[in-house]
Amino acid sequence: MQQPLKIIWRKDFETGNVEIDHEHREIIHRLNVFFAFAAAGKTGEEATFKLGEVYAWISAHFALEETIMRAHNYDQFEDHKADHERLLDDIRDIMDECRAGTFTGKDAALQEKLEAWFVGHFKLMDSRLHRMLHFAP
Ligand SMILES: [Fe+2]
Ligand SMILES: [Fe+2]
């Protein structure tokens, strides 16, 4: 039987900032809990509700980063925010699939896509942000 989707934390995800890495681990963990939940054959309504909670939590993390970037007039604010929006769009698409009852929680292509997002975003964008802030006056 196909396993539920699961994103495994890897060294590539680390930004080097302990608090941020902790929040990122939490994002991955919460998503994995949702994938297992959906794969256990929950109804579309239950799965949508569960994913809605994860979505709210991720949005809050992104909003915090965006507030910090604005406060520092961060030079790559627009690009960084656009990348956040991309992941949130993807999660909204999954919510739509849940609602329609078509999300199985076992889609390997989706797992690869999300992992690529996390590697790219955490590794390049978030670690740059935290490096810049660290050295900011
Ligand atoms: Fe970010
Ligand atoms: Fe982040």
Side-chain angles (χ1 to χ4, degrees):
M1 195 189 94
Q2 249 185 318
Q3 294 298 310
L5 235 141
K6 184 167 186 179
I7 300 167
I8 311 273
W9 182 269
R10 38 201 259 206
K11 195 107 183 97
D12 271 357
F13 292 169
E14 282 176 17
T15 65
N17 177 298
V18 179
E19 283 162 43
I20 294 297
D21 285 344
H22 175 77
E23 287 210 359
H24 289 167
R25 278 180 190 269
E26 191 67 27
I27 288 179
I28 308 260
H29 171 69
R30 286 172 189 236
L31 271 175
N32 284 337
V33 168
F34 160 73
F35 292 141
F37 183 84
K42 299 296 175 182
T43 67
E45 207 178 316
E46 286 172 320
T48 310
F49 180 77
K50 191 90 175 165
L51 185 55
E53 292 177 341
V54 183
Y55 180 91
W57 198 86
I58 296 176
S59 298
H61 170 76
F62 288 171
L64 176 65
E65 285 188 356
E66 288 161 18
T67 302
I68 294 170
M69 286 190 274
R70 267 196 218 97
H72 287 83
N73 280 323
Y74 186 58
D75 61 341
Q76 290 188 358
F77 174 76
E78 295 299 333
D79 285 351
H80 196 131
K81 185 172 165 50
D83 210 45
H84 285 168
E85 296 299 333
R86 258 194 293 281
L87 181 71
L88 292 175
D89 278 351
D90 285 347
I91 296 176
R92 276 195 297 269
D93 286 346
I94 301 173
M95 278 166 96
D96 289 343
E97 287 176 30
C98 283
R99 231 175 257 120
T102 54
F103 184 73
T104 63
K106 299 174 185 172
D107 180 346
L110 177 62
Q111 176 167 338
E112 273 174 37
K113 185 177 168 189
L114 291 175
E115 284 196 357
W117 189 92
F118 287 118
V119 173
H121 191 84
F122 292 171
K123 186 74 193 161
L124 300 175
M125 297 205 152
D126 285 349
S127 56
R128 180 183 190 274
L129 169 64
H130 298 296
R131 247 191 343 265
M132 298 282 284
L133 294 181
H134 189 72
F135 293 112

